[in-house]
């Protein structure tokens, strides 16, 4: 009987326990190892760290583009938030070139006729995407402080705000 118990504790118990140091269960489980199998798609808001998520290469090509995002309260709100984050530092909170650095770097008033009437929405989109003479790019990383900070959709929201909300907001602010 004693012998039977010994056989049981030495042979049967260890094989029924999984966590012995020499157990390889974890390593041998079905899993996807690096470089193996199909790659997962990127999360929806990912943007490439290099490269431009549009097929255009300069403003000449974007100037005729129509804004694919309708002017709505929601779009204007998004555009305004992004404008305050990305544009106000140079063009001023009102867009009237009234930030402390506007004059020093020559950032222009975005509420006057030149931007409001003469420039097309596609051109403003292109300016945000590729930058201008001094202004940095927000859709093209690289020289001159260019970045990919704004997605294509976000840029169009900013265009909506610049063209359809900024001048009105500046007038309201002036009359308050
Ligand atoms: C670092 C400062 C700076 C920031 C930030 C900046 N701009 Fe500008 N922007 C300028 C300067 C300076 C000019 C005028 C000289 C030039 O064209 O580069 C300009 C010019 C422009 C023009 C006129 C382009 C043309 O063809 O004459 C538009 C439109 C414009 N900016 C919109 C924006 C918008 C929208 C944002 C935010 C996404 C923005 N800017 C952010 C500095 C800036």
């Amino acid at each position: 009987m004693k012998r039977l118990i010994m056989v049981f504790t030495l042979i049967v118990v260890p094989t029924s326990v999984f966590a012995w140091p020499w157990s390889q269960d974890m390593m041998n489980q079905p899993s996807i190892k690096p470089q193996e199998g199909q790659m997962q798609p990127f999360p929806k808001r990912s943007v490439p760290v290099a490269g431009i998520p549009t097929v255009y290469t300069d403003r000449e090509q974007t100037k005729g583009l129509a804004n694919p995002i309708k002017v709505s309260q929601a779009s204007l709100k998004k555009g305004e938030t992004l404008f305050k984050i990305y544009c106000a530092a140079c063009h001023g909170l009102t867009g009237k070139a009234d930030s402390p650095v506007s004059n020093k770097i020559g950032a222009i008033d975005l509420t006057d006729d030149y931007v409001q009437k003469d420039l097309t929405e596609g051109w403003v989109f292109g300016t945000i995407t590729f930058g201008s003479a001094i202004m940095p790019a927000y859709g093209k990383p690289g020289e001159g402080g260019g970045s990919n900070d704004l997605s294509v959709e976000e840029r169009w929201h900013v265009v909506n705000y610049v063209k359809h909300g900024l001048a009105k907001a500046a007038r309201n602010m002036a009359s308050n």
Side-chain angles (χ1 to χ4, degrees):
M1 186 62 196
K2 236 181 183 172
R3 219 187 164 133
L4 210 78
I5 293 175
M6 221 150 96
V7 167
F8 183 80
T9 43
L10 283 178
I11 298 171
V12 181
V13 173
T15 52
S16 60
V17 171
F18 290 91
W20 293 110
W22 56 85
S23 162
Q24 307 241 309
D25 302 1
M26 292 289 271
M27 204 167 89
N28 295 333
Q29 66 179 313
S31 62
I32 300 171
K33 308 256 158 36
Q35 312 292 330
E36 232 179 52
Q38 218 178 1
M39 223 170 114
Q40 293 293 309
F42 290 112
K44 228 170 110 222
R45 267 184 54 81
S46 311
V47 283
V49 288
I52 314 163
T54 60
V55 295
Y56 308 102
T57 52
D58 59 39
R59 285 186 287 186
E60 280 305 319
Q61 294 180 349
T62 66
K63 70 178 177 193
L65 292 180
N67 192 335
I69 295 177
K70 278 221 309 253
V71 182
S72 65
Q73 280 312 313
S75 171
L76 290 176
K77 191 83 211 133
K78 279 185 198 157
E80 180 181 4
T81 304
L82 294 168
F83 182 88
K84 285 179 175 159
I85 296 170
Y86 291 100
C87 322
C90 293
H91 291 283
L93 274 174
T94 60
K96 291 176 84 64
D98 52 2
S99 100
V101 299
S102 299
N103 283 337
K104 294 200 178 81
I105 58 168
I108 59 167
D109 182 347
L110 300 177
T111 66
D112 68 7
D113 281 358
Y114 169 63
V115 174
Q116 295 299 319
K117 301 219 170 94
D118 300 351
L119 298 185
T120 61
E121 299 208 356
W123 184 269
V124 177
F125 173 81
T127 302
I128 302 170
T129 303
F130 306 111
S132 192
I134 299 168
M135 182 175 146
Y138 290 92
K140 187 185 176 200
E143 309 130 49
S147 73
N148 223 342
D149 285 355
L150 295 172
S151 72
V152 171
E153 195 186 314
E154 286 171 329
R155 278 174 252 155
W156 284 118
H157 287 308
V158 175
V159 173
N160 271 341
Y161 181 65
V162 167
K163 284 289 209 171
H164 305 279
L166 194 60
K168 213 186 279 175
R171 275 197 300 275
N172 289 344
M173 242 183 260
S175 64
N176 280 340

